[in-house]
Amino acid sequence: MGVTLLPDLGTQVLIPACAVVGIAFSLIQWLLVSKVKLTPSSEHASAKNGAGKNGFADHLIEEEEGLNDHSIVLKCAEIQTAISEGATSFLFTEYQYVGVFMAAFAVLIFLFLGSVEGFSTKSQPCTYDETKSCKPALATAVFSTISFVLGAVTSVISGFLGMKIATYANARTTLEARKGVGKAFITAFRSGAVMGFLLAANGLLVLFIAINLFKLYYGDDWGGLFESITGYGLGGSSMALFGRVGGGIYTKAADVGADLVGKIERDIPEDDPRNPAVIADNVGDNVGDIAGMGSDLFGSYAESSCAALVVASISSFGINHEFTPMLYPLIVSSVGIIVCLITTLFATDFFEIKAVKEIEPALKRQLIISTILMTVGVAVISWVALPSSFTIFNFGTQKVVHNWQLFLCVAVGLWAGLIIGFVTEYYTSNAYSPVQDVADSCRTGAATNVIFGLALGYKSVIIPIFAIAISIFVSFSFAAMYGIAMSALGMLSTIATGLAIDAYGPISDNAGGIAEMAGMSHRIRERTDALDAAGNTTAAIGKGFAIGSAALVSLALFGAFVSRAGISTVDVLTPKVFIGLIVGAMLPYWFSAMTMKSVGSAALKMVEEVRRQFNTIPGLMEGTAKPDYATCVKISTDASIKEMIPPGCLVMLTPLIVGIFFGVETLSGVLAGSLVSGVQIAISASNTGGAWDNAKKYIEAGVSEHARSLGPKGSDPHKAAVIGDTIGDPLKDTSGPSLNILIKLMAVESLVFAPFFATHGGLLFKFL
C-alpha cells in the first residue's frame, strides 16, 4: 500500500511534543494575565500623591475613571472572590453527584461487556478476521472501563480548570478596561486562550498516553485496542452532559430571576449590586458557559478521535499495523494546536485593538486565520503521514482511498465549520439586519418580538444544514465513515482558538458585572458592554461549531456502531427501524421540555426570593442595606443539582433500554432519528436566544439612530426586548447547547455497548 514519509518514531515524538507546547503556551498566557494585580500597587499610591507623574503617565490617562482609586480595586477583588467561591462550591457539589454516577456506570460497562463471552479469559476469534485470535471480551470490558474513567476525569478537570481561569481573569479584565478597550480585550482573550490550549493539549496527551499503555497489553490486536479506547469518548461526553445541563439550569435560573425583578419590576440596571440574584447570575456564567462548554467540546474532540480510530483499526492501517497512518487523527489535532498558537498571536501581539468597532472583526479574523493555516497544515501532514493509497473499511468491504481524498475530507469539515460560524454570526450579531429587525419588532410589544425571534431561529437552520449535508456527502464519497469522522475532526482541529473565542464571552460578561457592582464610571461599563456584545456573538459562533461538529461526530459514531454491531444495512422500511426512527426524533423534544421546565421552576423560586428581599429588607432599594446574595446562590445550586438528574437519565438510559429490549436495528433507528431532529432544534434554539439577547443589547447601546429611537433603557420597546431575552436564555444556554451532547452521547454509548447488544439484545423480539 506504500510507506509514509513520517517514521513511527517521528509520530511518537510529534504528538506529545505538540501537546506539551500547548500546555506551555497556556501557562505563559496565564502568567501574562496574572501581571494585572488585584491589589492597589505602590506606584498608584505615589502617582496619587503627585510624585513621578511623568513616570506613571499610563496610570493617569483618565483620573475620572477611578484609575488610582484603591477602594475600586479592593471592591473588584472582593466581588471576584465571591464569584469564584460560588462557582467552586457549585462544581464540587455537582462533581460529588456525578462521581457517584460515574462509579455506577463504570461498573455497568464492565458487567455488560464482560458478559458478552460469559467473563471468559480465553482468546477469541477476531471480529473482522476469523482466522486470527484476539484478546478476550473480558479485556475489552476492563480497558473500556479504564478509558471511560480516564475520559470522565479529563472532562471534569477541563471544565474545572476553565472555570478557575475565568474567575481569575474577570476582575482583571474590569481593571484593565480603565486603561482602554484594547487592554481589556487582550486580558479577556488571553484568559480564554489559557482554557482553549489546556483543554486541547490535555485531551490529546491523555488519549495518546492511553493508546500507548493499552498497546503494551494488546500487542497486535489493534481492533480490540481501539474498541476499548471508545470508552474515553463516552466518559468525556457523559460528564459534559451533566456539566452542560446542571450549569445551564444554574446560570439561567439566576439570570431570569435577576432580569425579571431587577430590570422590569424595579427598573434598576443589569448587574446592579442591589439585586440579590446578581452574584448567582455571574457565578452561572462560569459554571454554565465556561465549565459546561469546556467539557462539551472536549467530549466532541474525544468522540471524533475515537470514531476515526475504531474505523481505522479495521482498515488497512490497523490490519497492516501501520502506526503513523493509524494515528493520523491525533496528528491532525497536534498540528491544530500549533496553528492555533500562531493564530492567537495575531489577536494578542501582532495587532492592537484601539476602538470598540475593532473587537468583533478581530475575533472573526481568528476564525479565518486558523482555518486558512490549518488547511495548509492538513495538506502537509496528509502528504507525510499517509501512504499514497490505502483501504478504508466500508460496511463489510474495503474501499481504496488516496491521501489527497482524506485531506479533502478534513478540509471540507474545517471550512464547513467556518461557514456555520459566519452564518451564526450573521443571525445573532446586532451589526446585521436579522437582529435589527427583531429589535424593531419590540416597538409593538413582547409578542411580536417573540414571533420575529422564533422565525429568525428557524430560518438560521437552512445554511448550516446544507453545509453539514455537503460535508457528509463529500466525506462519505471519498472515505466512507472514516471520512466523516475526519471531517468532524477537521471542524474541531482549531478547538483551541474556538474555545478561546468562546470563553472570552463569559469573561467579558463577568467583567461588565463587576464594573457595575464596583460602582465604576459609565464609560468603563460602555467598554465592558462592547466586549460583552462581541462575546455574545462569538459564544453563538462557538455553539454553532459545537452543534455542527456534534452532527458529524454522531454520524461517524453511528457508522462505527453499525459496523461493530454487525448490521449490514439500516432499512427504514422495516418496522423495527422505523419505530426507532420516530421515537428517536421525539427524544430531543422530550429532553428540551425537561430542561426548559427545570429552568422555569428554578427561576420561579428565584423571582420569589428576589421579590421577598426587595419587599422585606429596609434600605435595599436606596443602597443603604446589602442584599442576601448567599440565599440566591443556594437556590440556583439546589435547583440545578436536583433538576440535572432526570434529563441525564433520559439520555443515558435510552440506548441501554432500546438495545436490551428492542435490539440493534431499532437502536440504529433511534440514533438516526435523534441526530436528524436534534441538530435542527439545537441550531434554532441557540440562534433564537442569541438574537433576542443581542436585540436587547442593540437597544441598550443606542449606537445608531434606529437603536436610539427604540431606547433608552426602561422604555416600552426595551422592556419588550428584555422579555424576549429572558425567554431566549434557557433556549440558548440550556436546551440548545445540551442537545448536541444528547445526539453524541447516545451514539457513543451505543458504540461502547454494541457487542453486548449484538449478543444479548432484542429480548422482546426474541419472545414475540
Side-chain angles (χ1 to χ4, degrees), residues 109-127 133-145 217-218 221 223-225 227-228 564 752 754-756 759-760:
I109 291 172
F110 175 72
L111 293 175
F112 275 34
L113 293 183
S115 68
V116 171
E117 296 286 332
F119 296 98
S120 162
T121 52
K122 288 206 291 278
S123 293
Q124 55 179 3
C126 295
T127 316
S133 70
C134 288
K135 300 292 181 192
L138 191 61
T140 306
V142 172
F143 284 100
S144 292
T145 307
Y217 169 78
Y218 274 101
D221 179 12
L225 163 63
E227 268 186 20
S228 55
R564 199 169 164 193
V752 169
F756 176 80
T759 314
H760 301 299

Side-chain angles (χ1 to χ4, degrees), residues 558 569-582 665 668-669 672-673 676:
F558 176 71
T569 53
V570 178
D571 185 356
V572 182
L573 294 176
T574 56
K576 275 185 190 178
V577 176
F578 193 80
I579 57 168
L581 197 66
I582 201 160
E665 277 108 337
S668 63
V676 169

Side-chain angles (χ1 to χ4, degrees), residues 2 24-25 28 36 61 98 107 222 247 261 348 445 523 548 564 752 756:
F25 183 72
I28 292 165
V36 181
I61 301 166
V98 168
V107 171
W222 283 18
V261 183
T348 55
R523 282 177 66 183
R564 199 169 164 193
V752 169
F756 176 80

Side-chain angles (χ1 to χ4, degrees), residues 1 11 24 99 171 209 230 236 272 317 408 419 441 447 483 488 700 729 737:
M1 279 282 154
T11 306
I209 291 168
T230 52
D272 192 295
F317 301 156
L408 287 176
I419 290 166
S441 71
E700 288 174 352
D729 275 337

Side-chain angles (χ1 to χ4, degrees), residues 6-254:
L6 181 68
D8 289 355
L9 180 64
T11 306
Q12 289 280 26
V13 172
L14 175 73
I15 295 171
C18 290
V20 170
V21 167
I23 292 168
F25 183 72
S26 68
L27 293 176
I28 292 165
Q29 297 297 312
W30 178 74
L31 283 172
L32 291 168
V33 171
S34 68
K35 284 185 176 173
V36 181
K37 294 289 177 254
L38 271 183
T39 49
S41 60
S42 55
E43 61 184 43
H44 279 164
S46 64
K48 200 166 184 185
N49 297 334
K53 279 203 170 185
N54 296 335
F56 302 106
D58 192 30
H59 296 292
L60 297 171
I61 301 166
E62 290 158 7
E63 206 58 75
E64 78 277 8
E65 302 294 12
L67 200 57
N68 305 320
D69 191 339
H70 290 222
S71 64
I72 280 186
V73 179
L74 292 171
K75 186 92 171 125
C76 286
E78 188 188 313
I79 297 162
Q80 183 209 31
T81 307
I83 294 170
S84 182
E85 284 172 358
T88 307
S89 74
F90 168 72
L91 286 182
F92 272 129
T93 312
E94 181 183 71
Y95 293 155
Q96 282 167 6
Y97 282 84
V98 168
V100 173
F101 157 81
M102 192 168 86
F105 208 75
V107 171
L108 206 63
I109 291 172
F110 175 72
L111 293 175
F112 275 34
L113 293 183
S115 68
V116 171
E117 296 286 332
F119 296 98
S120 162
T121 52
K122 288 206 291 278
S123 293
Q124 55 179 3
C126 295
T127 316
Y128 306 101
D129 186 354
E130 301 285 336
T131 58
K132 291 181 182 169
S133 70
C134 288
K135 300 292 181 192
L138 191 61
T140 306
V142 172
F143 284 100
S144 292
T145 307
I146 293 169
S147 54
F148 168 76
V149 173
L150 263 181
V153 170
T154 312
S155 179
V156 163
I157 291 171
S158 301
F160 187 75
L161 285 177
M163 181 279 297
K164 275 294 185 198
I165 303 297
T167 52
Y168 182 81
N170 49 18
R172 287 172 166 79
T173 304
T174 309
L175 294 175
E176 286 293 272
R178 298 175 307 170
K179 299 178 190 172
V181 75
K183 299 268 190 200
F185 171 81
I186 286 178
T187 303
F189 191 80
R190 280 194 203 283
S191 314
V194 176
M195 179 188 175
F197 282 92
L198 263 184
L199 187 139
N202 277 344
L204 177 66
L205 196 58
V206 174
L207 183 57
F208 178 74
I209 291 168
I211 289 169
N212 276 293
L213 290 177
F214 285 18
K215 205 154 128 262
L216 296 176
Y217 169 78
Y218 274 101
D220 285 345
D221 179 12
W222 283 18
L225 163 63
F226 291 104
E227 268 186 20
S228 55
I229 283 287
T230 52
Y232 186 69
L234 176 59
S237 248
S238 51
M239 295 307 103
L241 175 71
F242 291 106
R244 256 299 191 202
V245 174
I249 293 167
Y250 185 109
T251 178
K252 291 305 115 181

